[in-house]
Amino acid sequence: MIIPELPAYLTSLGGEDYKGLIIALFTLSAGLSRPFSGKLADKVGRIPVMMFGAGVCFVVGLLYPLLSFVGGFLFLRFAHGFSAGFTPTGASAYVADIVPFQKRGEAMGIQSLFGSLGMAAGPAIGGWIASIWPIEILFYSAAFTAIFSILILMRLKETLKEKEPLKLSLFKLDRDEIIEKRVLLPSVILFLSVFSFGVVLTIIPDFSVHLGIKNKGLFFAVFTLSSLGIRLLAGRTSDRHGRVAVMRVASAVMVLAMCAVAFAESKAVLLASGVLFGAAVGMYSPTTTAWVVDRSLDRFRGRALATMYIFLESGIGVGAVVSGWLYANNPENFKLVFLSSGSIAFLGFLILIFIKRDRKSYHSHHQ
């Protein structure tokens, strides 16, 4: 809800030089909290981890209007990231627990479908609220929305079989508890794919204005809607034909999308490339999650998903910082920014071409 309005809000506080940090700080804390959320999801339970994330969302939303200076705002962006560091880890592990193996891709498709419905409706509703009321109302509305997820979570049944009580020693991480090596391959490819996502989040609001588009959230709405339609299909296709096959198509489409954005000179072309971008996101999102769960052991499922999210955050964060630095508030650099993110996506495509089909991980499950 708040993302499209944040660059302008930060500028109004006098922090226009820190635009790259709006996304970067959020993803940094999300990434740092992942190993903890993965471990806690495997030890204490999926639901407490989700509850904590929703709670952070609520509290931080209430604090934005109170800490309305540059340092305070950037501190809250960092704190806010803990919500993203906890809730999705718990939620993905919860879904993986309750779904049969042969429907895993489809289930991850449904989960990511609802995730992106939120991502789509959020900026649109947020932009609408901000156009009518002062920005404080927007922050309070965002906080209020988080209460609903807390209410739903209170009714759910925990899926973790052997729970441990929460104790301080659980917050001590051994080296092997930070990254789950079994899922490094899909995670690296995800990093290369979502680099462009960080670029889009950071640069598209300014690029939209540059092309004369009033609503900065329009591109986001288009790509999210486009990603909705394809998620279920991609998840199902990956159940049938393997994860790698779907990922190849996804990364190729991502390369196309970024090149199309780079050469966009009209609203129509920009929005058309938004459709391509959304299709790519909609394909790799559920497919990677299913691929990661395929390759992980049941008892380390939280850790495996946390590893995937660490690479996801880092890809988005690095993309945001690098693109902010390349762009440097100079419209002449738009093309350079989008073409360089396209080349990063192309790297992922090259790796996928050399990977053998991923069927063998399936058969081992059924024995």
Side-chain angles (χ1 to χ4, degrees):
M1 280 171 88
I2 62 177
I3 282 195
E5 302 306 319
L6 291 182
Y9 176 66
L10 182 57
T11 303
S12 76
L13 300 178
E16 61 276 342
D17 295 343
Y18 302 108
K19 278 183 201 164
L21 293 178
I22 293 175
I23 303 293
L25 284 171
F26 183 92
T27 45
L28 174 69
S29 59
L32 289 173
S33 60
R34 293 288 182 193
F36 298 99
S37 66
K39 182 174 181 179
L40 293 171
D42 287 337
K43 301 276 190 194
V44 179
R46 321 301 198 198
I47 290 175
V49 165
M50 291 189 268
M51 287 287 256
F52 176 76
V56 168
C57 236
F58 173 64
V59 173
V60 171
L62 296 180
L63 289 176
Y64 276 118
L66 299 175
L67 301 183
S68 56
F69 50 97
V70 174
F73 173 79
L74 294 175
F75 164 73
L76 286 175
R77 286 307 292 160
F78 182 76
H80 204 161
F82 286 96
S83 64
F86 274 76
T87 303
T89 311
S92 303
Y94 192 94
V95 172
D97 289 344
I98 56 179
V99 169
F101 168 76
Q102 60 281 9
K103 297 214 162 185
R104 185 172 288 157
E106 189 179 340
M108 295 305 173
I110 294 171
Q111 190 201 1
S112 76
L113 177 78
F114 278 84
S116 38
L117 271 173
M119 299 276 279
I125 295 169
W128 173 73
I129 292 174
S131 68
I132 305 176
W133 290 292
I135 187 112
E136 292 78 35
I137 303 291
L138 176 61
F139 290 134
Y140 294 140
S141 316
F144 183 70
T145 329
I147 296 179
F148 288 114
S149 49
I150 294 171
L151 293 175
I152 294 170
L153 286 166
M154 289 164 82
R155 313 261 324 248
L156 286 182
K157 220 173 82 197
E158 180 57 63
T159 53
L160 186 68
K161 301 277 190 295
E162 292 153 23
K163 293 194 290 260
E164 293 181 22
L166 182 62
K167 49 184 187 288
L168 268 177
S169 60
L170 288 177
F171 290 91
K172 203 179 125 288
L173 292 174
D174 297 332
R175 188 178 298 158
D176 65 335
E177 289 180 319
I178 298 173
I179 296 288
E180 178 56 63
K181 292 191 184 65
R182 291 178 186 84
V183 299
L184 273 177
L185 176 67
S187 302
V188 167
I189 287 169
L190 184 65
F191 175 93
L192 297 170
S193 307
V194 298
F195 182 91
S196 299
F197 204 90
V199 174
V200 162
L201 287 177
T202 309
I203 306 298
I204 287 288
D206 282 11
F207 190 51
S208 299
V209 173
H210 172 71
L211 292 182
I213 301 172
K214 277 208 183 65
N215 182 345
K216 291 188 275 233
L218 196 59
F219 182 89
F220 296 91
V222 167
F223 89 65
T224 313
L225 287 173
S226 142
S227 83
L228 292 182
I230 204 162
R231 278 169 197 272
L232 279 177
L233 183 70
R236 246 182 228 156
T237 308
S238 80
D239 284 337
R240 240 171 254 145
H241 301 286
R243 318 296 184 204
V244 174
V246 176
M247 290 298 289
R248 282 177 190 156
V249 179
S251 54
V253 174
M254 180 57 91
V255 176
L256 278 176
M258 292 328 282
C259 294
V261 174
F263 293 102
E265 281 171 9
S266 67
K267 184 175 175 175
V269 176
L270 180 68
L271 296 182
S273 47
V275 173
L276 282 175
F277 180 77
V281 172
M283 284 187 269
Y284 70 61
S285 168
T287 308
T288 310
T289 313
W291 192 10
V292 162
V293 177
D294 290 347
R295 294 183 71 134
S296 67
L297 302 175
D298 289 356
R299 66 176 188 279
F300 298 138
R301 190 169 276 169
R303 184 198 301 171
L305 287 160
T307 300
M308 175 189 85
Y309 282 120
I310 289 170
F311 278 83
L312 175 85
E313 306 314 351
S314 349
I316 294 175
V318 172
V321 172
V322 169
S323 63
W325 171 72
L326 281 176
Y327 165 48
N329 288 320
N330 178 359
E332 288 176 9
N333 295 334
F334 281 131
K335 197 166 280 183
L336 165 75
V337 172
F338 294 124
L339 287 176
S340 51
S341 70
S343 59
I344 300 284
F346 185 67
L347 199 61
F349 177 72
L350 286 179
I351 297 174
L352 284 159
I353 290 299
F354 289 108
I355 297 176
K356 298 272 190 292
R357 291 285 299 273
D358 49 340
R359 273 291 170 212
K360 64 175 185 300
S361 62
Y362 290 118
H363 294 313
S364 59
H365 270 277
H366 292 302
Q367 282 158 14

